[in-house]
Every structure is written in structure tokens, then in C-alpha cells.
Amino acid sequence: MEPEKPTEPKGLLQTHELYKYILETNVYPREPESLKELRAVTEKHPWAVMSTAPDAGQMIEILLKITGAKKALEVGVFTGYSLLLTALTIPKDGKIVAIDMDREAYEIGRPIIQKAGVEHKIDFIESQALPALDKLLENPKNVGSFDYAFVDADKINYINYHERIMKLVKVNGIVVYDNTLWFGSVAQPEEMVLKEFKEGRVSTIQFNKSLVADPRIDISTVPLGDGLTICRRLY
Ligand SMILES: C[S@@+](CC[C@H](N)C(=O)[O-])C[C@H]1O[C@@H](n2cnc3c(N)ncnc32)[C@H](O)[C@@H]1O
Ligand SMILES: O=c1cc(-c2ccc(O)cc2)oc2c(O)c(O)ccc12
């Protein structure tokens, strides 16, 4: 049997109608204007699908508020939806270290971030993520200092990011990994998986297993967007 081709995005839900209902009824009415604007400019980008899902963003906003996060780390910025969401949510004197190797995409969202008055909270690092994280770790002030981290970059490296981020976040700090259900492919038999998802599926399955086996964290996987795994550092 031919694998089913995805049509329009519906996250991991059974129907487009249900996803539309969630967005239109619960998410868009509460979404700040600047995030709507960022979403609109991002839609013109050929890789717009990579932008953090607004329903997942709404959940992240609650996490940031509950934990009172002030110092945040983001790996994978793209045009900046999750970055702007974080910048809008953390306090005025909060800081976000945001890493992406693609400055061009960040420049698409940056004028909107500036207009929203939150650019002063952001330290954008144009770099491959692994060396940037290693550099952060060289400064003892950064070790165990982050309240929150969001990882939404190359899935194959999540395992490597995790080891570094475990040292950068404080005990009780929260780490959120995006795409941990990789378009639902993690639960599909291999022969049913579309070619373009195969590599990501394998690394995501391995990564999910490694989180389950990691005694340093609590975890919860939430089927929002493309799957979020929320971790809390225990020790
Ligand atoms: C899924 S997008 C991030 C989406 C973003 N969180 C948002 O809300 O729009 C992934 C991003 O990770 C970046 N990326 C991929 N591999 C990377 C790497 N090895 N180092 C740094 N950035 C990387 C890409 O340039 C891309 O902008
Ligand atoms: O379709 C994608 C692709 C990515 C992706 C692929 C390769 C990389 O090096 C980084 C990112 O990420 C996505 C994503 O985060 C998402 O939420 C939806 C779709 C995709």
C-alpha cells in the first residue's frame, strides 16, 4: 500500500476540522498581533511549515509563565515565531540566547521583533548549534543558569544538544524538544513511512528512547504541533 501523502497541516490530530477548531476557537483569539504578523510574513517562506505551531506556542507561553522563566535558550530560530513568543512572555529584564546558522531567516522576523519592543532581550548567535553551546559552557556563569530551553533544529543532533543543555539549565529548569513525534512517523511501520521522513524518524525514535532512559529528567510528551517533549531537570 502507498503511504498516505500529507495534504494541509493538521498537526497530529485526526481531522483538519478539529485542528481548525482549536486554532480558530482557542488559539488565534489570544495570539498577540505581533505573532500574527510574524506568522503572516513566514507563510511566504518556502519552509514556512517549520515555524512553531501556534497551539504549541500557547502551551509554551503557559510553561514560561508558570515557571517564571527569565533566562532562556533557543536552538533553532528560523523566522522567530517561538523566539518572539518567548521574548513577549519573559519579564522585561529577561534574556534569550537564540542560536541559528541561518541569519537570513531571522532577518525576516527581526523587524517585527523590533516593533514589538522586545529585541533587547535577545542575543542572536549565528552559528552551528553544537559549537555555540560548547562556547556557552566555557563560561562558568552560564552553567546551570538557564530557566528554560527550546530545541527546534536538526533532529539528528537532539541527542548531542541534550547533553549540553542538561549542563546549561538549572535544576528544575525546563527543556522543550519540538518534533518528537515527527509527523506521526515514529509509530508507523517502516515500510509505510514517506522517504522524506525516514531519516528523521530513526533519529527521533532513538532520541525519545534516550530521554525515557535519562534519570536526570522528568518527561512528558504532548501531541501538540508535531509533538513536544517537555523535560524538567531533576538534579
Ligand atoms: C524548525 S526551524 C525552527 C523554527 C522556529 N522555532 C520557529 O518557531 O519558527 C529549524 C531551524 O534550525 C536551524 N538549524 C538546523 N540545523 C542547525 C544547526 N546544526 N545549527 C544551528 N541551526 C540549525 C535552521 O536553520 C532552521 O532555522
Ligand atoms: O519539515 C520540517 C523540517 C524541519 C527541519 C529539517 C531539517 C533541519 O536541519 C531542521 C529542521 O523541521 C520542521 C519542524 O521543526 C516542524 O515543526 C515542522 C516541519 C519541519
Side-chain angles (χ1 to χ4, degrees):
M1 194 164 49
E2 272 295 295
E4 189 194 334
K5 267 252 179 232
T7 49
E8 59 185 277
K10 61 177 163 67
L12 297 157
L13 297 172
Q14 285 187 348
T15 63
H16 299 300
E17 290 70 24
L18 184 54
Y19 190 45
K20 195 164 169 262
Y21 171 84
I22 292 171
L23 291 176
E24 290 178 356
T25 312
N26 293 348
V27 181
Y28 293 153
R30 289 292 191 101
E31 190 184 38
E33 281 308 313
S34 54
L35 283 176
K36 285 191 201 305
E37 203 184 329
L38 188 57
R39 212 158 33 75
V41 299
T42 302
E43 267 164 28
K44 295 175 201 137
H45 194 286
W47 280 97
V49 64
M50 293 205 300
S51 190
T52 298
D55 50 323
Q58 205 177 44
M59 221 277 296
I60 289 169
E61 182 184 334
I62 288 207
L63 269 181
L64 288 166
K65 286 181 179 166
I66 293 173
T67 57
K70 234 175 131 169
K71 187 170 175 186
L73 174 65
E74 176 157 309
V75 181
V77 171
F78 188 44
T79 60
Y81 189 90
S82 52
L83 178 60
L84 175 56
L85 174 109
T86 306
L88 290 170
T89 308
I90 63 173
K92 268 197 186 77
D93 59 342
K95 290 278 171 241
I96 311 164
V97 175
I99 305 166
D100 203 302
M101 60 192 188
D102 180 5
R103 178 178 283 276
E104 224 176 280
Y106 174 55
E107 290 298 337
I108 295 171
R110 196 165 147 230
I112 299 166
I113 293 172
Q114 278 170 340
K115 202 166 70 173
V118 292
E119 200 193 16
H120 65 280
K121 300 183 193 176
I122 298 168
D123 174 14
F124 179 81
I125 302 175
E126 180 186 355
S127 169
Q128 286 282 339
L130 276 179
L133 293 171
D134 284 337
K135 193 145 181 246
L136 284 176
L137 278 168
E138 280 171 18
N139 183 347
K141 274 194 188 157
N142 287 322
V143 176
S145 74
F146 287 85
D147 302 299
Y148 166 82
F150 181 56
V151 182
D152 187 14
D154 47 336
K155 322 305 164 195
I156 210 146
N157 265 314
Y158 275 22
I159 282 188
N160 300 320
Y161 299 148
H162 183 65
E163 277 320 303
R164 283 138 178 105
I165 288 171
M166 277 296 102
K167 296 184 183 130
L168 288 165
V169 292
K170 51 178 64 158
V171 170
N172 268 322
I174 299 289
V175 188
V176 177
Y177 292 99
D178 196 13
N179 309 108
T180 54
L181 299 175
W182 199 235
F183 299 90
S185 68
V186 291
Q188 283 177 334
E190 216 212 316
E191 61 278 13
M192 293 293 289
V193 177
L194 291 172
K195 206 169 65 242
E196 57 266 41
F197 298 139
K198 278 189 192 291
E199 192 186 270
R201 171 182 176 271
V202 172
S203 42
T204 305
I205 289 173
Q206 275 171 0
F207 177 64
N208 289 341
K209 281 187 183 154
S210 76
L211 289 185
V212 171
D214 188 341
R216 297 168 297 180
I217 51 172
D218 281 330
I219 61 166
S220 170
T221 299
V222 186
L224 281 173
D226 189 32
L228 296 177
T229 297
I230 304 165
C231 310
R232 181 177 73 97
R233 183 178 164 193
L234 295 171
Y235 59 84

